[in-house]
Amino acid sequence: MCDKPAGSKWRAILQHKCPQCRRGKVFTNSVFNPFKFSKMHKNCPVCELQFELEPGYMYSAMYLSYMITSGACIMLGLAVYKFLHDPELWVYWSILITTLVLFSPISLRISRMLAIHLITPIRFDEKWR
């Protein structure tokens, strides 16, 4: 039993919560753990929902991550061009690669949460307790 009220769908996505109860954590470790940032619970610790509906289901999140990363690279490249007044190519590459390496755990988590909340047939159950 959990008496804590459930938040909105977008809050659940940003806080990495279960799509059914919006209370249980999806990931087991912190995003700042460099070796276990992608480890997920098999089932929700609160409502016991199985997160991976079928084997390989999280491959759909790979496409979402690609879109997020591509958009971020384009925006970052334009910002570098604008604020650094068209620097040399190595400056672009070093800024892009450093940023992608540092933000890849966040991109992975957000893409998985978008896949779980928006693509799956799992819906929020207000009556679940």
Side-chain angles (χ1 to χ4, degrees), residues 8-10 12-13 17-20 22 53 57-58 60 64 67-68 110-124:
S8 69
K9 177 183 273 197
W10 293 106
I13 290 171
K17 300 291 183 176
C18 171
Q20 181 171 293
R22 295 185 185 164
L53 299 178
Y57 183 78
M58 285 300 154
S60 63
L64 292 170
M67 291 189 313
I68 291 168
I110 292 294
S111 63
R112 283 190 182 180
M113 294 309 300
L114 288 172
I116 289 173
H117 280 269
L118 301 178
I119 298 174
T120 62
I122 302 167
R123 296 294 172 243
F124 176 60

PDB file of all heavy atoms in Angstrom, residues 8-10 12-13 17-20 22 53 57-58 60 64 67-68 110-124:
ATOM      1  N   SER A   8       1.365  13.827 -12.138  1.00  0.00           N
ATOM      2  CA  SER A   8       0.933  13.830 -13.527  1.00  0.00           C
ATOM      3  C   SER A   8       1.821  12.893 -14.357  1.00  0.00           C
ATOM      4  O   SER A   8       2.861  12.430 -13.890  1.00  0.00           O
ATOM      5  CB  SER A   8       1.019  15.242 -14.096  1.00  0.00           C
ATOM      6  OG  SER A   8       2.369  15.635 -14.221  1.00  0.00           O
ATOM      7  N   LYS A   9       1.404  12.645 -15.589  1.00  0.00           N
ATOM      8  CA  LYS A   9       2.167  11.768 -16.473  1.00  0.00           C
ATOM      9  C   LYS A   9       3.563  12.336 -16.735  1.00  0.00           C
ATOM     10  O   LYS A   9       4.550  11.621 -16.678  1.00  0.00           O
ATOM     11  CB  LYS A   9       1.440  11.582 -17.797  1.00  0.00           C
ATOM     12  CG  LYS A   9       2.229  10.732 -18.789  1.00  0.00           C
ATOM     13  CD  LYS A   9       1.530  10.631 -20.110  1.00  0.00           C
ATOM     14  CE  LYS A   9       0.568   9.485 -20.029  1.00  0.00           C
ATOM     15  NZ  LYS A   9       0.099   9.023 -21.325  1.00  0.00           N
ATOM     16  N   TRP A  10       3.663  13.630 -17.007  1.00  0.00           N
ATOM     17  CA  TRP A  10       4.960  14.234 -17.311  1.00  0.00           C
ATOM     18  C   TRP A  10       5.861  14.269 -16.087  1.00  0.00           C
ATOM     19  O   TRP A  10       7.070  14.108 -16.207  1.00  0.00           O
ATOM     20  CB  TRP A  10       4.780  15.612 -17.937  1.00  0.00           C
ATOM     21  CG  TRP A  10       4.144  15.472 -19.274  1.00  0.00           C
ATOM     22  CD1 TRP A  10       2.863  15.776 -19.598  1.00  0.00           C
ATOM     23  CD2 TRP A  10       4.729  14.906 -20.457  1.00  0.00           C
ATOM     24  NE1 TRP A  10       2.615  15.451 -20.909  1.00  0.00           N
ATOM     25  CE2 TRP A  10       3.747  14.917 -21.452  1.00  0.00           C
ATOM     26  CE3 TRP A  10       5.986  14.398 -20.768  1.00  0.00           C
ATOM     27  CZ2 TRP A  10       3.987  14.442 -22.741  1.00  0.00           C
ATOM     28  CZ3 TRP A  10       6.220  13.926 -22.041  1.00  0.00           C
ATOM     29  CH2 TRP A  10       5.228  13.950 -23.010  1.00  0.00           C
ATOM     30  N   ALA A  12       5.764  11.978 -13.777  1.00  0.00           N
ATOM     31  CA  ALA A  12       6.190  10.582 -13.640  1.00  0.00           C
ATOM     32  C   ALA A  12       7.314  10.258 -14.626  1.00  0.00           C
ATOM     33  O   ALA A  12       8.247   9.526 -14.290  1.00  0.00           O
ATOM     34  CB  ALA A  12       5.009   9.650 -13.873  1.00  0.00           C
ATOM     35  N   ILE A  13       7.250  10.816 -15.829  1.00  0.00           N
ATOM     36  CA  ILE A  13       8.316  10.594 -16.814  1.00  0.00           C
ATOM     37  C   ILE A  13       9.618  11.215 -16.322  1.00  0.00           C
ATOM     38  O   ILE A  13      10.667  10.586 -16.344  1.00  0.00           O
ATOM     39  CB  ILE A  13       7.912  11.155 -18.193  1.00  0.00           C
ATOM     40  CG1 ILE A  13       6.798  10.305 -18.802  1.00  0.00           C
ATOM     41  CG2 ILE A  13       9.108  11.217 -19.133  1.00  0.00           C
ATOM     42  CD1 ILE A  13       6.179  10.881 -20.053  1.00  0.00           C
ATOM     43  N   LYS A  17       9.121   7.302 -12.811  1.00  0.00           N
ATOM     44  CA  LYS A  17       8.163   6.509 -12.027  1.00  0.00           C
ATOM     45  C   LYS A  17       7.380   5.563 -12.934  1.00  0.00           C
ATOM     46  O   LYS A  17       7.274   5.765 -14.144  1.00  0.00           O
ATOM     47  CB  LYS A  17       7.179   7.438 -11.293  1.00  0.00           C
ATOM     48  CG  LYS A  17       7.833   8.411 -10.333  1.00  0.00           C
ATOM     49  CD  LYS A  17       8.414   7.713  -9.136  1.00  0.00           C
ATOM     50  CE  LYS A  17       8.993   8.735  -8.166  1.00  0.00           C
ATOM     51  NZ  LYS A  17       9.473   8.164  -6.969  1.00  0.00           N
ATOM     52  N   CYS A  18       6.770   4.567 -12.336  1.00  0.00           N
ATOM     53  CA  CYS A  18       5.980   3.548 -13.026  1.00  0.00           C
ATOM     54  C   CYS A  18       4.797   4.176 -13.776  1.00  0.00           C
ATOM     55  O   CYS A  18       4.146   5.071 -13.249  1.00  0.00           O
ATOM     56  CB  CYS A  18       5.484   2.554 -11.987  1.00  0.00           C
ATOM     57  SG  CYS A  18       4.292   1.361 -12.589  1.00  0.00           S
ATOM     58  N   PRO A  19       4.471   3.705 -14.981  1.00  0.00           N
ATOM     59  CA  PRO A  19       3.340   4.279 -15.711  1.00  0.00           C
ATOM     60  C   PRO A  19       1.972   3.884 -15.146  1.00  0.00           C
ATOM     61  O   PRO A  19       0.994   4.595 -15.351  1.00  0.00           O
ATOM     62  CB  PRO A  19       3.515   3.739 -17.129  1.00  0.00           C
ATOM     63  CG  PRO A  19       4.314   2.512 -16.976  1.00  0.00           C
ATOM     64  CD  PRO A  19       5.191   2.731 -15.779  1.00  0.00           C
ATOM     65  N   GLN A  20       1.903   2.780 -14.430  1.00  0.00           N
ATOM     66  CA  GLN A  20       0.615   2.331 -13.910  1.00  0.00           C
ATOM     67  C   GLN A  20       0.248   2.993 -12.586  1.00  0.00           C
ATOM     68  O   GLN A  20      -0.851   3.513 -12.429  1.00  0.00           O
ATOM     69  CB  GLN A  20       0.614   0.816 -13.737  1.00  0.00           C
ATOM     70  CG  GLN A  20      -0.714   0.281 -13.221  1.00  0.00           C
ATOM     71  CD  GLN A  20      -0.758  -1.219 -13.271  1.00  0.00           C
ATOM     72  OE1 GLN A  20      -0.752  -1.782 -14.350  1.00  0.00           O
ATOM     73  NE2 GLN A  20      -0.771  -1.851 -12.106  1.00  0.00           N
ATOM     74  N   ARG A  22       2.452   5.309 -10.939  1.00  0.00           N
ATOM     75  CA  ARG A  22       3.172   6.582 -10.862  1.00  0.00           C
ATOM     76  C   ARG A  22       3.824   6.823  -9.501  1.00  0.00           C
ATOM     77  O   ARG A  22       4.016   7.949  -9.082  1.00  0.00           O
ATOM     78  CB  ARG A  22       2.274   7.758 -11.236  1.00  0.00           C
ATOM     79  CG  ARG A  22       1.830   7.729 -12.674  1.00  0.00           C
ATOM     80  CD  ARG A  22       1.062   8.957 -13.036  1.00  0.00           C
ATOM     81  NE  ARG A  22       0.545   8.830 -14.394  1.00  0.00           N
ATOM     82  CZ  ARG A  22      -0.399   9.590 -14.882  1.00  0.00           C
ATOM     83  NH1 ARG A  22      -0.934  10.547 -14.149  1.00  0.00           N
ATOM     84  NH2 ARG A  22      -0.815   9.421 -16.112  1.00  0.00           N
ATOM     85  N   LEU A  53       7.533  -5.537 -21.491  1.00  0.00           N
ATOM     86  CA  LEU A  53       6.379  -6.340 -21.860  1.00  0.00           C
ATOM     87  C   LEU A  53       6.749  -7.583 -22.659  1.00  0.00           C
ATOM     88  O   LEU A  53       6.090  -8.604 -22.555  1.00  0.00           O
ATOM     89  CB  LEU A  53       5.393  -5.490 -22.659  1.00  0.00           C
ATOM     90  CG  LEU A  53       4.827  -4.287 -21.911  1.00  0.00           C
ATOM     91  CD1 LEU A  53       3.904  -3.492 -22.811  1.00  0.00           C
ATOM     92  CD2 LEU A  53       4.098  -4.734 -20.663  1.00  0.00           C
ATOM     93  N   TYR A  57      11.787  -5.238 -25.925  1.00  0.00           N
ATOM     94  CA  TYR A  57      10.854  -4.118 -26.060  1.00  0.00           C
ATOM     95  C   TYR A  57      11.559  -2.771 -25.948  1.00  0.00           C
ATOM     96  O   TYR A  57      11.160  -1.799 -26.584  1.00  0.00           O
ATOM     97  CB  TYR A  57       9.735  -4.200 -25.021  1.00  0.00           C
ATOM     98  CG  TYR A  57       8.735  -3.100 -25.210  1.00  0.00           C
ATOM     99  CD1 TYR A  57       7.784  -3.190 -26.201  1.00  0.00           C
ATOM    100  CD2 TYR A  57       8.790  -1.946 -24.455  1.00  0.00           C
ATOM    101  CE1 TYR A  57       6.899  -2.168 -26.424  1.00  0.00           C
ATOM    102  CE2 TYR A  57       7.904  -0.917 -24.664  1.00  0.00           C
ATOM    103  CZ  TYR A  57       6.960  -1.044 -25.647  1.00  0.00           C
ATOM    104  OH  TYR A  57       6.097  -0.018 -25.869  1.00  0.00           O
ATOM    105  N   MET A  58      12.603  -2.685 -25.166  1.00  0.00           N
ATOM    106  CA  MET A  58      13.285  -1.405 -24.965  1.00  0.00           C
ATOM    107  C   MET A  58      14.094  -0.956 -26.179  1.00  0.00           C
ATOM    108  O   MET A  58      14.674   0.115 -26.176  1.00  0.00           O
ATOM    109  CB  MET A  58      14.188  -1.465 -23.732  1.00  0.00           C
ATOM    110  CG  MET A  58      13.432  -1.404 -22.447  1.00  0.00           C
ATOM    111  SD  MET A  58      12.502   0.126 -22.348  1.00  0.00           S
ATOM    112  CE  MET A  58      11.203  -0.363 -21.268  1.00  0.00           C
ATOM    113  N   SER A  60      12.767   0.024 -28.800  1.00  0.00           N
ATOM    114  CA  SER A  60      12.041   1.203 -29.295  1.00  0.00           C
ATOM    115  C   SER A  60      12.585   2.483 -28.672  1.00  0.00           C
ATOM    116  O   SER A  60      12.569   3.544 -29.295  1.00  0.00           O
ATOM    117  CB  SER A  60      10.543   1.070 -29.008  1.00  0.00           C
ATOM    118  OG  SER A  60      10.310   1.035 -27.608  1.00  0.00           O
ATOM    119  N   LEU A  64      14.022   6.587 -29.992  1.00  0.00           N
ATOM    120  CA  LEU A  64      13.722   7.845 -29.303  1.00  0.00           C
ATOM    121  C   LEU A  64      15.007   8.531 -28.844  1.00  0.00           C
ATOM    122  O   LEU A  64      15.148   9.748 -28.971  1.00  0.00           O
ATOM    123  CB  LEU A  64      12.806   7.587 -28.109  1.00  0.00           C
ATOM    124  CG  LEU A  64      11.390   7.139 -28.435  1.00  0.00           C
ATOM    125  CD1 LEU A  64      10.680   6.690 -27.170  1.00  0.00           C
ATOM    126  CD2 LEU A  64      10.638   8.248 -29.116  1.00  0.00           C
ATOM    127  N   MET A  67      16.634  10.257 -31.760  1.00  0.00           N
ATOM    128  CA  MET A  67      15.985  11.534 -32.093  1.00  0.00           C
ATOM    129  C   MET A  67      16.371  12.624 -31.092  1.00  0.00           C
ATOM    130  O   MET A  67      16.657  13.756 -31.485  1.00  0.00           O
ATOM    131  CB  MET A  67      14.460  11.364 -32.146  1.00  0.00           C
ATOM    132  CG  MET A  67      13.997  10.543 -33.307  1.00  0.00           C
ATOM    133  SD  MET A  67      12.214  10.516 -33.567  1.00  0.00           S
ATOM    134  CE  MET A  67      11.567  10.203 -31.967  1.00  0.00           C
ATOM    135  N   ILE A  68      16.376  12.296 -29.811  1.00  0.00           N
ATOM    136  CA  ILE A  68      16.746  13.275 -28.781  1.00  0.00           C
ATOM    137  C   ILE A  68      18.193  13.723 -28.973  1.00  0.00           C
ATOM    138  O   ILE A  68      18.505  14.918 -28.948  1.00  0.00           O
ATOM    139  CB  ILE A  68      16.547  12.676 -27.375  1.00  0.00           C
ATOM    140  CG1 ILE A  68      15.061  12.489 -27.077  1.00  0.00           C
ATOM    141  CG2 ILE A  68      17.195  13.544 -26.303  1.00  0.00           C
ATOM    142  CD1 ILE A  68      14.788  11.657 -25.842  1.00  0.00           C
ATOM    143  N   ILE A 110      15.577   9.137 -20.257  1.00  0.00           N
ATOM    144  CA  ILE A 110      14.406   9.852 -20.768  1.00  0.00           C
ATOM    145  C   ILE A 110      13.772   9.079 -21.919  1.00  0.00           C
ATOM    146  O   ILE A 110      12.546   8.962 -21.997  1.00  0.00           O
ATOM    147  CB  ILE A 110      14.789  11.286 -21.201  1.00  0.00           C
ATOM    148  CG1 ILE A 110      15.162  12.118 -19.990  1.00  0.00           C
ATOM    149  CG2 ILE A 110      13.678  11.951 -21.998  1.00  0.00           C
ATOM    150  CD1 ILE A 110      14.009  12.387 -19.038  1.00  0.00           C
ATOM    151  N   SER A 111      14.579   8.520 -22.809  1.00  0.00           N
ATOM    152  CA  SER A 111      14.019   7.773 -23.927  1.00  0.00           C
ATOM    153  C   SER A 111      13.304   6.506 -23.454  1.00  0.00           C
ATOM    154  O   SER A 111      12.240   6.160 -23.977  1.00  0.00           O
ATOM    155  CB  SER A 111      15.103   7.427 -24.946  1.00  0.00           C
ATOM    156  OG  SER A 111      16.074   6.595 -24.382  1.00  0.00           O
ATOM    157  N   ARG A 112      13.846   5.836 -22.459  1.00  0.00           N
ATOM    158  CA  ARG A 112      13.151   4.650 -21.929  1.00  0.00           C
ATOM    159  C   ARG A 112      11.834   5.030 -21.249  1.00  0.00           C
ATOM    160  O   ARG A 112      10.839   4.333 -21.377  1.00  0.00           O
ATOM    161  CB  ARG A 112      14.052   3.899 -20.950  1.00  0.00           C
ATOM    162  CG  ARG A 112      15.108   3.094 -21.637  1.00  0.00           C
ATOM    163  CD  ARG A 112      15.825   2.182 -20.681  1.00  0.00           C
ATOM    164  NE  ARG A 112      16.869   1.449 -21.379  1.00  0.00           N
ATOM    165  CZ  ARG A 112      17.659   0.575 -20.806  1.00  0.00           C
ATOM    166  NH1 ARG A 112      17.541   0.325 -19.513  1.00  0.00           N
ATOM    167  NH2 ARG A 112      18.578  -0.051 -21.495  1.00  0.00           N
ATOM    168  N   MET A 113      11.863   6.132 -20.528  1.00  0.00           N
ATOM    169  CA  MET A 113      10.635   6.559 -19.854  1.00  0.00           C
ATOM    170  C   MET A 113       9.572   6.989 -20.874  1.00  0.00           C
ATOM    171  O   MET A 113       8.389   6.700 -20.692  1.00  0.00           O
ATOM    172  CB  MET A 113      10.925   7.688 -18.863  1.00  0.00           C
ATOM    173  CG  MET A 113      11.788   7.258 -17.697  1.00  0.00           C
ATOM    174  SD  MET A 113      11.207   5.770 -16.851  1.00  0.00           S
ATOM    175  CE  MET A 113       9.603   6.283 -16.322  1.00  0.00           C
ATOM    176  N   LEU A 114       9.976   7.671 -21.929  1.00  0.00           N
ATOM    177  CA  LEU A 114       9.018   8.037 -22.973  1.00  0.00           C
ATOM    178  C   LEU A 114       8.448   6.788 -23.636  1.00  0.00           C
ATOM    179  O   LEU A 114       7.245   6.724 -23.918  1.00  0.00           O
ATOM    180  CB  LEU A 114       9.685   8.938 -24.017  1.00  0.00           C
ATOM    181  CG  LEU A 114       9.986  10.364 -23.579  1.00  0.00           C
ATOM    182  CD1 LEU A 114      10.812  11.076 -24.633  1.00  0.00           C
ATOM    183  CD2 LEU A 114       8.695  11.125 -23.306  1.00  0.00           C
ATOM    184  N   ALA A 115       9.286   5.789 -23.877  1.00  0.00           N
ATOM    185  CA  ALA A 115       8.813   4.544 -24.474  1.00  0.00           C
ATOM    186  C   ALA A 115       7.816   3.831 -23.557  1.00  0.00           C
ATOM    187  O   ALA A 115       6.770   3.367 -24.007  1.00  0.00           O
ATOM    188  CB  ALA A 115       9.993   3.624 -24.796  1.00  0.00           C
ATOM    189  N   ILE A 116       8.131   3.768 -22.267  1.00  0.00           N
ATOM    190  CA  ILE A 116       7.249   3.076 -21.324  1.00  0.00           C
ATOM    191  C   ILE A 116       5.918   3.820 -21.168  1.00  0.00           C
ATOM    192  O   ILE A 116       4.856   3.211 -21.141  1.00  0.00           O
ATOM    193  CB  ILE A 116       7.931   2.915 -19.947  1.00  0.00           C
ATOM    194  CG1 ILE A 116       9.057   1.894 -20.033  1.00  0.00           C
ATOM    195  CG2 ILE A 116       6.932   2.498 -18.882  1.00  0.00           C
ATOM    196  CD1 ILE A 116       9.883   1.793 -18.765  1.00  0.00           C
ATOM    197  N   HIS A 117       5.971   5.138 -21.081  1.00  0.00           N
ATOM    198  CA  HIS A 117       4.758   5.914 -20.806  1.00  0.00           C
ATOM    199  C   HIS A 117       3.922   6.216 -22.039  1.00  0.00           C
ATOM    200  O   HIS A 117       2.696   6.294 -21.944  1.00  0.00           O
ATOM    201  CB  HIS A 117       5.126   7.238 -20.117  1.00  0.00           C
ATOM    202  CG  HIS A 117       5.397   7.090 -18.661  1.00  0.00           C
ATOM    203  ND1 HIS A 117       4.420   7.224 -17.707  1.00  0.00           N
ATOM    204  CD2 HIS A 117       6.536   6.815 -17.986  1.00  0.00           C
ATOM    205  CE1 HIS A 117       4.934   7.040 -16.512  1.00  0.00           C
ATOM    206  NE2 HIS A 117       6.224   6.790 -16.650  1.00  0.00           N
ATOM    207  N   LEU A 118       4.553   6.414 -23.185  1.00  0.00           N
ATOM    208  CA  LEU A 118       3.803   6.880 -24.343  1.00  0.00           C
ATOM    209  C   LEU A 118       3.551   5.818 -25.403  1.00  0.00           C
ATOM    210  O   LEU A 118       2.574   5.915 -26.146  1.00  0.00           O
ATOM    211  CB  LEU A 118       4.532   8.074 -24.988  1.00  0.00           C
ATOM    212  CG  LEU A 118       4.753   9.281 -24.073  1.00  0.00           C
ATOM    213  CD1 LEU A 118       5.528  10.365 -24.811  1.00  0.00           C
ATOM    214  CD2 LEU A 118       3.441   9.824 -23.558  1.00  0.00           C
ATOM    215  N   ILE A 119       4.404   4.816 -25.510  1.00  0.00           N
ATOM    216  CA  ILE A 119       4.264   3.817 -26.571  1.00  0.00           C
ATOM    217  C   ILE A 119       3.562   2.548 -26.091  1.00  0.00           C
ATOM    218  O   ILE A 119       2.820   1.927 -26.835  1.00  0.00           O
ATOM    219  CB  ILE A 119       5.648   3.491 -27.186  1.00  0.00           C
ATOM    220  CG1 ILE A 119       6.221   4.757 -27.826  1.00  0.00           C
ATOM    221  CG2 ILE A 119       5.548   2.397 -28.216  1.00  0.00           C
ATOM    222  CD1 ILE A 119       7.630   4.599 -28.338  1.00  0.00           C
ATOM    223  N   THR A 120       3.767   2.167 -24.850  1.00  0.00           N
ATOM    224  CA  THR A 120       3.171   0.927 -24.350  1.00  0.00           C
ATOM    225  C   THR A 120       1.669   1.080 -24.137  1.00  0.00           C
ATOM    226  O   THR A 120       1.162   2.195 -23.977  1.00  0.00           O
ATOM    227  CB  THR A 120       3.788   0.511 -22.991  1.00  0.00           C
ATOM    228  OG1 THR A 120       3.523   1.527 -22.039  1.00  0.00           O
ATOM    229  CG2 THR A 120       5.254   0.256 -23.104  1.00  0.00           C
ATOM    230  N   PRO A 121       0.952  -0.020 -24.099  1.00  0.00           N
ATOM    231  CA  PRO A 121      -0.487   0.044 -23.803  1.00  0.00           C
ATOM    232  C   PRO A 121      -0.785   0.212 -22.309  1.00  0.00           C
ATOM    233  O   PRO A 121      -1.950   0.260 -21.921  1.00  0.00           O
ATOM    234  CB  PRO A 121      -1.011  -1.302 -24.322  1.00  0.00           C
ATOM    235  CG  PRO A 121       0.164  -2.218 -24.245  1.00  0.00           C
ATOM    236  CD  PRO A 121       1.380  -1.361 -24.507  1.00  0.00           C
ATOM    237  N   ILE A 122       0.228   0.319 -21.474  1.00  0.00           N
ATOM    238  CA  ILE A 122       0.040   0.470 -20.034  1.00  0.00           C
ATOM    239  C   ILE A 122      -0.490   1.868 -19.746  1.00  0.00           C
ATOM    240  O   ILE A 122       0.045   2.857 -20.219  1.00  0.00           O
ATOM    241  CB  ILE A 122       1.362   0.260 -19.272  1.00  0.00           C
ATOM    242  CG1 ILE A 122       1.928  -1.123 -19.566  1.00  0.00           C
ATOM    243  CG2 ILE A 122       1.161   0.459 -17.778  1.00  0.00           C
ATOM    244  CD1 ILE A 122       3.358  -1.298 -19.117  1.00  0.00           C
ATOM    245  N   ARG A 123      -1.542   1.961 -18.980  1.00  0.00           N
ATOM    246  CA  ARG A 123      -2.136   3.259 -18.645  1.00  0.00           C
ATOM    247  C   ARG A 123      -2.228   3.411 -17.136  1.00  0.00           C
ATOM    248  O   ARG A 123      -2.281   2.441 -16.391  1.00  0.00           O
ATOM    249  CB  ARG A 123      -3.530   3.396 -19.261  1.00  0.00           C
ATOM    250  CG  ARG A 123      -3.526   3.384 -20.759  1.00  0.00           C
ATOM    251  CD  ARG A 123      -2.811   4.617 -21.298  1.00  0.00           C
ATOM    252  NE  ARG A 123      -2.628   4.521 -22.734  1.00  0.00           N
ATOM    253  CZ  ARG A 123      -1.449   4.479 -23.328  1.00  0.00           C
ATOM    254  NH1 ARG A 123      -0.346   4.523 -22.652  1.00  0.00           N
ATOM    255  NH2 ARG A 123      -1.360   4.407 -24.633  1.00  0.00           N
ATOM    256  N   PHE A 124      -2.304   4.652 -16.702  1.00  0.00           N
ATOM    257  CA  PHE A 124      -2.422   4.976 -15.284  1.00  0.00           C
ATOM    258  C   PHE A 124      -3.759   4.473 -14.763  1.00  0.00           C
ATOM    259  O   PHE A 124      -4.807   4.675 -15.370  1.00  0.00           O
ATOM    260  CB  PHE A 124      -2.304   6.481 -15.090  1.00  0.00           C
ATOM    261  CG  PHE A 124      -2.500   6.934 -13.685  1.00  0.00           C
ATOM    262  CD1 PHE A 124      -1.683   6.504 -12.658  1.00  0.00           C
ATOM    263  CD2 PHE A 124      -3.527   7.805 -13.368  1.00  0.00           C
ATOM    264  CE1 PHE A 124      -1.850   6.924 -11.373  1.00  0.00           C
ATOM    265  CE2 PHE A 124      -3.717   8.240 -12.075  1.00  0.00           C
ATOM    266  CZ  PHE A 124      -2.879   7.795 -11.063  1.00  0.00           C
TER     267      PHE A 124
END
